Amino acid sequence: MASSHSSSPVPHPSSGGNDGIFRKDRDPTSRHHRHIRSLPDVCPKEPMDEVSRGLCDGPSVVVDQHRWTVYNSKVNLPAALNDPRLAKRESDFFTKTWGQEFAETEVMPSYLPNITNEHFGPYLQETAQRERIHKRCQNICPNKDELDSVSITNNHDKSRAELEQVPRIFMKPDFALDDPATFNAVLPWSHFNSAGGKTNRDVASSRLLQEKLSHYLDVVEVSIARQISLRSEAFFHAMSSQHELQDRLTQTSHSVAVLRGRTAAIDRVMCEGPLRALRQALTRSNCVRLHNKLKLMAAVHQTQPTVQLLLSTSEFVGALELIATTKEVLQQELQGIHSFRHLGSQLCELEKLIDKMMVEDFSMYSRSDLSRSLEEEAQVMEKDRLESLVFGLLRQRKLDFLDIYGDEMILAAKSIVTQCVVDSVSRCEEIDPDVVTKLADQIRLMTFPHWFQLLKSVFENFILFLMRIKATLSVVRNVVLEALDNNQKSRLLELERAAAGAQVPGALLSQGEAELAYLTHEGLFISDALNEAALHQGGNGVLEQSSAMGFKPQVAQEPSFIEGPRPSPLRLDGCGSDSASGTTESSSSREHAFQPEGGASVSEDMMPSDLELGRVANNIQELLYTASDVSHDRCVKVLMARAKDGSLERVSSAEFVCLSQAVEGFVRDTEDLCCRRSVSLRGALQSQANRFVHRFHEERKNKLSLLLDNERWKQAEVPAEFQDLVNSIADGRISLPDRKSQGIEERKPSDYLHIDGQKYAVVGTVLILIRIFLEYCHCVNDIPSIATDMLTRLSDLLKHFNSRSCQLVLGAGALQVVGLKTITTKNLALASRCLQLVVHYIPIIRAHFETKLTPKQYNVLRHFDHITKDYNDHIAEISAKLVAIMDSLFEKVLAKYEVKAPMPSPCFRNVCKQMAKMHEALYELLPEEQAQMLFLRINASFKMHLKRQLSRLGVHHDGGPQHGLVTVDVAFYTENVQALRTLDKLDLNMAEIWEQKR
């Protein structure tokens, strides 16, 4: 067998080609019959013979597990060559793994030379002789392995033919003779059971069956022996491997026993003492913790009496802090203590009771603060108590406590009005409170001065009321802002602690290695061991300090916390009497609760978030706004109760101005105090102002209409007070003058109204009109909110004066209304001059109203532009009327004109007489420029009619007798007209009466 694995050292040519390359031949037996291989050896270092190497020439899964073998092959060659992703068949299958560009990439030239047949020439010449000898020997003596394989194949075919003689029923896996069918098939008893008993034939058949079965047995045994002989080598190899394995296991067991003995000795000599020391240290630490735990339980046991004692002194914040601390201790350090199983629920109920007590106390505080006398100072009542209550409510997240204050504020505002009315009625003898019970009826029965004093009293009380509310809300806001600031400081402190604590675990690990070894030996997790070591190393000092200092459940004391991976609650002292004896004031309580030291984690989760605190701060400001609105609403009630029967509409303008000023002052004061522009009182005043303006306007419009209807359109004397009035307007003071002084009464009236160097001849109605529109302007000064409405009413008044004067003068309505016989030129000139006076004051009125309007309201000023245009049109119509009067006279007189002696003719004498009368009527009324312009227009009318008459008479500018006569008349006319005052320089241009020759 050994020779079968040894090949000749002489190389021989390959049987597949004639290229002259010699390759080492493989084992001949492998080309014909493969040996049956056993499992890979699990002990590769065991010496093996050549047979074993032949059986184990494949790769071992143990030895070759870290290098690539054929077992790692996953893709066969056809699959690599038939890649469907390739556009064409590639000659190199590596493109499948290395990409499409592998075949196209330029290959770097190899540093090895190209190997050709010439390189093997010396070797082939050296081995050619030995190879020829080897071939000759192979032809003479065939290989033993080939003969063995041929014989094995023949024997295998022979044994198969012999086994085929055995019936297949014996080869079945479920072959069993206890099955009747199988038994009858193997032993056919029908051949042996004859009627006459056993015969020779039966005996022969039985013997033949026995021999056949024996033959089958022999065939099977021979086949089994042959198979065993073929696999004997593998069997003996397995047996030898088993013996070797048993020997090695025996050695290993002995080595393990020795190692265990040595380990036990090391443990006994070197480890028992240190481990005992560690156990004792851990036991001592546990005893210390147990002692601290018992002291903590004793302190917790005194929590309820301490809380009750704190509540008896209204120290709600201290009681809440103590309850929160105790609950945290129960949840973290005393969790699972059977004796405290009901304490948590009891503390929760106690906390709910404190919530109700705080809400009731805050409601009582708000009621007493808002209902106390307003004559007291506006300082905050019991500031420390208020701060304590606000912080307690914030801590318990009772963020709706401002609603309680708001409700009490509304009730207090109602009581303020009621008390003011009662006090005012008690001072009024005309009102019997037993007969008139309703406050609104009592208000309406008061006189205006009495009611106005009531309103001012209400305003003053509400100002004090708002000042008190603002002071109280300022304290509440400061508490909220302080809580917000300390929340931010707590977060910064937590971030610093987190950054500092990130380096603690490594140091604790180096300090607590001995204890960590013991804890891990006892079966704990490493993370738990680290946490316990951290608590042991970092908490001992704090524990001892807390135990020595004890717990004083005072509100001002800062609770101590253990620094470690998780927060540990503070250590309490068991003395309950000392807990209550140290009660401090509420300001210290807030400082304690807000202080961002170790106790920050207790109240951090209980305090509202920054967003919630911000909302509370905004609600405080909104509550101040609400207080302002409530005050205004209560004042509106007083105002509307008075105005229900129209009393405010019937007051004088001075009284309404006083009312408006008082309301505006109150509104301005509340706006400065609360930074809120409340609109309810202004709106009520505006509504009353609109009614007042309507009545004010109707009174003056009716008065003006009455004056116009009684006006005879004659020049009136101007009293000195009206002259002073227009003088003050010229100086820029658009307001009504004070009452007449003694000196003004002694001054005589004037014939004219002197304004800016001009004389205005006016009627009495225009003087009253000037005073009326000054009253309008004065009202606007006192009540700016009615500026637009007053402007509209004033423009309506001016339009009414213009239209009514036009109806009376130009329309000759005064003939029927007043009883005038005729409308003279003097009446027309007076009307024109009065209109000019109003036009003079319209820009001044416009400028005054413009200062009282906002830019968005400037569009209402266009009414003055329309009024100015209407007045100018009216003035132009009066001038045209005056010219028309003379025009009709000229037409009538010149129609009878004849060019004949004597000269000047009577017609021209009559014209000059009428011109003199016209000038006499207008001279004292119209200014010089207007008179000249008017007479120029009259002269133009005269020339037109004279030219027409001369053309009709056939008189031409030819130097004839008629031309001379006409020239004499024209000279007479020119002399008389220019002789009139202020008309001496008037250019009459009489040459236009002659027609130009063509």
Side-chain angles (χ1 to χ4, degrees):
M1 206 46 141
S3 63
S4 63
H5 290 277
S6 61
S7 60
S8 174
V10 180
H12 55 85
S14 176
S15 61
N18 299 324
D19 53 358
I21 299 176
F22 293 88
R23 298 188 179 93
K24 187 176 179 180
D25 194 8
R26 295 185 62 187
D27 189 357
T29 59
S30 63
R31 295 196 303 265
H32 301 286
H33 180 72
R34 180 184 297 174
H35 288 283
I36 298 175
R37 298 175 180 173
S38 63
L39 293 174
D41 190 6
V42 296
C43 299
K45 295 183 180 179
E46 181 184 356
M48 296 183 295
D49 55 4
E50 295 181 358
V51 177
S52 299
R53 292 192 184 93
L55 294 173
C56 302
D57 58 355
S60 173
V61 295
V62 178
V63 178
D64 301 327
Q65 59 179 336
H66 298 297
R67 68 185 183 90
W68 192 91
T69 63
V70 293
Y71 298 138
N72 297 104
S73 179
K74 296 182 180 179
V75 181
N76 56 2
L77 187 59
L81 295 176
N82 296 326
D83 188 357
R85 296 177 297 177
L86 297 177
K88 60 182 180 178
R89 292 301 181 94
E90 301 289 345
S91 60
D92 196 342
F93 69 92
F94 291 106
T95 55
K96 177 176 178 63
T97 303
W98 293 351
Q100 296 291 336
E101 299 178 355
F102 174 78
E104 300 177 1
T105 303
E106 182 180 357
V107 180
M108 298 297 296
S110 176
Y111 61 89
L112 297 175
N114 294 328
I115 305 301
T116 59
N117 291 337
E118 286 77 8
H119 291 83
F120 298 96
Y123 175 76
L124 293 177
Q125 293 177 2
E126 184 181 353
T127 60
Q129 182 64 28
R130 284 182 289 177
E131 202 234 340
R132 285 195 294 270
I133 297 171
H134 177 69
K135 286 290 185 180
R136 192 182 308 116
C137 291
Q138 277 188 342
N139 294 332
I140 296 173
C141 299
N143 197 337
K144 184 176 180 298
D145 293 337
E146 295 179 359
L147 296 177
D148 291 341
S149 62
V150 172
S151 62
I152 288 173
T153 302
N154 295 334
N155 293 333
H156 180 68
D157 296 337
K158 182 179 179 181
S159 62
R160 178 177 295 179
E162 291 177 353
L163 286 175
E164 289 179 354
Q165 296 177 6
V166 181
R168 294 187 177 276
I169 191 172
F170 294 102
M171 303 300 181
K172 291 183 177 180
D174 56 349
F175 177 78
L177 290 177
D178 54 358
D179 185 10
T182 304
F183 186 82
N184 291 331
V186 175
L187 299 176
W189 292 104
S190 59
H191 296 286
F192 306 107
N193 296 332
S194 60
K198 293 185 178 180
T199 61
N200 295 331
R201 183 179 177 183
D202 294 335
V203 173
S205 297
S206 176
R207 186 179 296 111
L208 179 60
L209 179 59
Q210 184 176 3
E211 292 178 357
K212 184 184 296 185
L213 293 177
S214 298
H215 176 67
Y216 292 161
L217 179 61
D218 294 339
V219 170
V220 173
E221 289 178 349
V222 169
S223 178
I224 290 173
R226 184 179 299 110
Q227 294 297 328
I228 290 174
S229 64
L230 292 176
R231 292 168 174 79
S232 59
E233 294 182 3
F235 176 75
F236 289 120
H237 174 68
M239 292 300 295
S240 62
S241 299
Q242 182 68 22
H243 293 319
E244 183 66 21
L245 181 61
Q246 290 179 355
D247 294 341
R248 294 196 177 188
L249 286 176
T250 301
Q251 295 176 2
T252 303
S253 176
H254 177 69
S255 300
V256 169
V258 173
L259 181 59
R260 284 185 175 179
R262 293 178 180 176
T263 304
I266 292 173
D267 180 62
R268 183 174 59 258
V269 174
M270 301 180 64
C271 298
E272 285 185 359
L275 287 177
R276 188 181 303 111
L278 288 176
R279 290 191 189 96
Q280 291 176 355
L282 187 60
T283 301
R284 182 183 180 280
S285 176
N286 291 335
C287 291
V288 171
R289 293 181 182 181
L290 177 60
H291 180 253
N292 293 332
K293 194 78 70 176
L294 292 175
K295 290 196 298 182
L296 188 62
M297 291 174 63
V300 169
H301 183 66
Q302 296 295 326
T303 298
Q304 288 179 315
T306 305
V307 170
Q308 293 175 359
L309 191 57
L310 289 172
L311 293 180
S312 65
T313 58
S314 300
E315 286 293 340
F316 300 108
V317 178
L320 290 172
E321 286 292 331
L322 181 57
I323 290 174
T325 304
T326 306
K327 288 170 67 176
E328 187 172 1
V329 169
L330 288 175
Q331 292 176 0
Q332 294 187 3
E333 291 202 2
L334 298 182
Q335 187 175 9
I337 302 299
H338 187 70
S339 59
F340 290 150
R341 64 187 183 278
H342 301 304
L343 183 58
S345 59
Q346 293 172 0
L347 292 176
C348 291
E349 293 298 328
L350 190 59
E351 191 172 8
K352 293 180 181 178
L353 177 61
I354 294 175
D355 290 349
K356 295 180 180 178
M357 293 177 63
M358 284 194 302
V359 172
E360 293 177 359
D361 197 9
F362 184 77
S363 179
M364 293 176 58
Y365 174 85
S366 302
R367 191 179 302 111
S368 61
D369 179 52
L370 294 173
S371 61
R372 61 193 173 105
S373 176
L374 295 173
E375 296 177 358
E376 299 179 9
E377 295 182 359
Q379 295 180 355
V380 180
M381 182 184 68
E382 299 180 18
K383 181 178 178 181
D384 295 337
R385 177 187 174 192
L386 175 61
E387 291 176 342
S388 176
L389 283 173
V390 171
F391 172 70
L393 292 170
L394 288 177
R395 192 180 181 282
Q396 295 303 107
R397 293 181 178 271
K398 298 293 182 180
L399 305 181
D400 56 346
F401 66 94
L402 293 176
D403 297 338
I404 300 174
Y405 193 84
D407 297 338
E408 296 295 336
M409 179 181 65
I410 294 174
L411 295 177
K414 292 181 180 178
S415 64
I416 287 174
V417 175
T418 303
Q419 187 62 37
C420 289
V421 174
V422 171
D423 295 342
S424 181
V425 170
S426 64
R427 294 190 298 268
C428 185
E429 298 178 356
E430 294 82 3
I431 301 174
D432 187 1
D434 296 332
V435 177
V436 183
T437 57
K438 293 184 178 180
L439 295 179
D441 296 337
Q442 295 174 358
I443 291 174
R444 282 191 289 272
L445 290 176
M446 296 179 183
T447 61
F448 181 82
H450 197 181
W451 173 82
F452 188 64
Q453 291 298 325
L454 167 64
L455 185 64
K456 290 198 295 184
S457 176
V458 171
F459 287 164
E460 292 174 359
N461 288 336
F462 271 122
I463 291 297
L464 297 176
F465 179 68
L466 291 176
M467 292 173 62
R468 179 173 298 173
I469 291 176
K470 184 176 181 180
T472 302
L473 293 181
S474 297
V475 174
V476 177
R477 183 180 180 85
N478 291 336
V479 174
V480 174
L481 294 180
E482 186 177 355
L484 184 61
D485 182 61
N486 284 276
N487 276 359
Q488 296 174 355
K489 291 181 179 178
S490 299
R491 284 199 302 272
L492 293 176
L493 186 60
E494 288 296 327
L495 293 176
E496 293 176 0
R497 288 179 178 176
Q503 302 176 356
V504 172
L508 294 178
L509 179 62
S510 61
Q511 295 174 4
E513 290 179 351
E515 186 175 358
L516 176 61
Y518 172 72
L519 294 173
T520 52
H521 178 70
E522 291 294 323
L524 297 177
F525 290 105
I526 294 178
S527 59
D528 295 336
L530 282 173
N531 291 335
E532 293 294 333
L535 289 174
H536 180 67
Q537 294 290 336
N540 283 339
V542 180
L543 288 172
E544 294 172 1
Q545 182 181 359
S546 301
S547 300
M549 181 176 59
F551 170 69
K552 304 296 182 182
Q554 303 172 3
V555 184
Q557 181 171 336
E558 184 64 28
S560 302
F561 283 84
I562 297 175
E563 302 293 339
R566 60 178 182 176
S568 178
L570 54 88
R571 303 298 180 180
L572 306 176
D573 190 9
C575 183
S577 60
D578 295 340
S579 304
S581 61
T583 303
T584 60
E585 58 185 14
S586 301
S587 59
S588 301
S589 303
R590 292 191 305 106
E591 292 175 1
H592 147 69
F594 284 145
Q595 192 172 358
E597 294 298 330
S601 60
V602 174
S603 59
E604 182 178 358
D605 296 334
M606 299 178 184
M607 290 300 296
S609 63
D610 293 351
L611 181 60
E612 292 173 334
L613 290 175
R615 290 175 181 172
V616 173
N618 293 334
N619 291 338
I620 293 172
Q621 188 64 38
E622 290 295 331
L623 187 59
L624 185 59
Y625 296 160
T626 304
S628 176
D629 294 341
V630 169
S631 302
H632 281 246
D633 293 341
R634 292 293 101 192
C635 294
V636 168
K637 294 288 185 181
V638 177
L639 188 66
M640 298 309 294
R642 178 71 179 181
K644 187 175 182 180
D645 59 350
S647 300
L648 294 181
E649 299 177 16
R650 294 189 295 270
V651 299
S652 64
S653 59
E655 291 174 338
F656 193 86
V657 167
C658 293
L659 173 62
S660 175
Q661 290 176 347
V663 171
E664 287 294 332
F666 175 72
V667 171
R668 184 169 55 253
D669 292 340
T670 56
E671 185 175 349
D672 295 339
L673 190 62
C674 303
C675 300
R676 168 79 166 189
R677 187 179 179 85
S678 298
V679 296
S680 58
L681 185 57
R682 269 200 176 100
L685 179 64
Q686 184 66 37
S687 176
Q688 295 303 318
N690 293 336
R691 296 179 182 179
F692 169 76
V693 167
H694 178 72
R695 183 196 59 79
F696 179 88
H697 174 66
E698 290 298 325
E699 288 181 355
R700 280 145 185 81
K701 187 176 181 180
N702 294 333
K703 180 180 179 180
L704 182 62
S705 299
L706 185 62
L707 290 174
L708 287 173
D709 291 341
N710 293 305
E711 180 62 56
R712 303 189 65 84
W713 297 100
K714 291 183 179 181
Q715 184 176 359
E717 293 182 346
V718 180
E721 59 174 326
F722 284 97
Q723 185 61 53
D724 295 338
L725 189 65
V726 297
N727 291 338
S728 66
I729 295 175
D731 295 337
R733 296 188 303 273
I734 304 177
S735 61
L736 291 174
D738 297 333
R739 291 185 177 181
K740 296 180 180 180
S741 61
Q742 199 68 20
I744 296 178
E745 291 181 354
E746 295 176 356
R747 295 167 56 187
K748 295 181 180 180
S750 173
D751 294 334
Y752 298 96
L753 191 65
H754 298 274
I755 302 175
D756 294 339
Q758 292 189 14
K759 297 188 302 181
Y760 285 88
V762 294
V763 296
T765 304
V766 173
L767 296 176
I768 303 300
L769 178 62
I770 293 175
R771 186 176 184 84
I772 288 175
F773 68 66
L774 283 180
E775 290 177 355
Y776 278 80
C777 295
H778 188 71
C779 279
V780 172
N781 290 336
D782 296 329
I783 315 174
S785 60
I786 63 174
T788 55
D789 195 11
M790 193 65 77
L791 187 149
T792 305
R793 304 304 174 98
L794 179 58
S795 63
D796 179 68
L797 184 72
L798 294 176
K799 289 179 182 178
H800 176 70
F801 175 78
N802 185 38
S803 61
R804 188 60 180 162
S805 61
C806 181
Q807 294 172 4
L808 293 173
V809 179
L810 284 179
L815 299 179
Q816 293 80 19
V817 175
V818 185
L820 295 180
K821 296 181 180 180
T822 182
I823 302 298
T824 63
T825 55
K826 196 168 187 178
N827 297 139
L828 292 173
L830 273 175
S832 175
R833 199 58 176 156
C834 291
L835 294 174
Q836 292 175 20
L837 178 62
V838 175
V839 170
H840 171 77
Y841 281 113
I842 286 178
I844 300 175
I845 299 172
R846 176 194 175 106
H848 177 73
F849 274 89
E850 188 174 359
T851 60
K852 307 300 179 182
L853 298 177
T854 62
K856 293 183 179 179
Q857 297 173 336
Y858 284 170
N859 57 340
V860 298
L861 296 174
R862 67 181 185 276
H863 294 299
F864 290 113
D865 299 334
H866 299 160
I867 293 172
T868 303
K869 182 178 181 301
D870 294 340
Y871 271 72
N872 290 328
D873 292 343
H874 190 187
I875 294 170
E877 290 177 3
I878 293 176
S879 299
K881 182 67 174 178
L882 291 174
V883 174
I885 292 173
M886 297 302 295
D887 184 78
S888 61
L889 177 65
F890 292 151
E891 184 179 5
K892 181 180 179 181
V893 172
L894 292 177
K896 301 177 182 180
Y897 176 62
E898 294 180 357
V899 183
K900 61 181 182 178
M903 292 296 161
S905 63
C907 179
F908 269 76
R909 291 178 182 274
N910 190 11
V911 168
C912 291
K913 181 180 178 181
Q914 295 298 330
M915 291 282 284
K917 288 183 178 180
M918 172 70 74
H919 181 269
E920 183 180 1
L922 300 181
Y923 172 73
E924 299 293 337
L925 301 179
L926 297 180
E928 181 178 350
E929 295 80 4
Q930 293 186 18
Q932 291 178 357
M933 293 299 299
L934 179 63
F935 276 92
L936 282 177
R937 294 176 62 185
I938 294 173
N939 179 61
S941 175
F942 172 76
K943 289 189 294 183
M944 180 188 67
H945 288 286
L946 179 60
K947 183 178 181 180
R948 189 179 302 165
Q949 182 66 19
L950 292 176
S951 176
R952 187 164 50 249
L953 295 175
V955 179
H956 302 286
H957 188 261
D958 53 2
Q962 289 186 336
H963 174 263
L965 293 176
V966 172
T967 303
V968 173
D969 284 338
V970 170
F972 175 77
Y973 167 79
T974 303
E975 182 181 356
N976 279 274
V977 171
Q978 290 182 347
L980 299 176
R981 285 179 294 182
T982 70
L983 300 182
D984 52 346
K985 297 181 181 180
L986 196 65
D987 186 11
L988 300 180
N989 194 12
M990 298 303 295
E992 294 180 353
I993 63 175
W994 305 106
E995 291 185 357
Q996 299 293 334
K997 294 183 179 180
R998 298 180 180 178

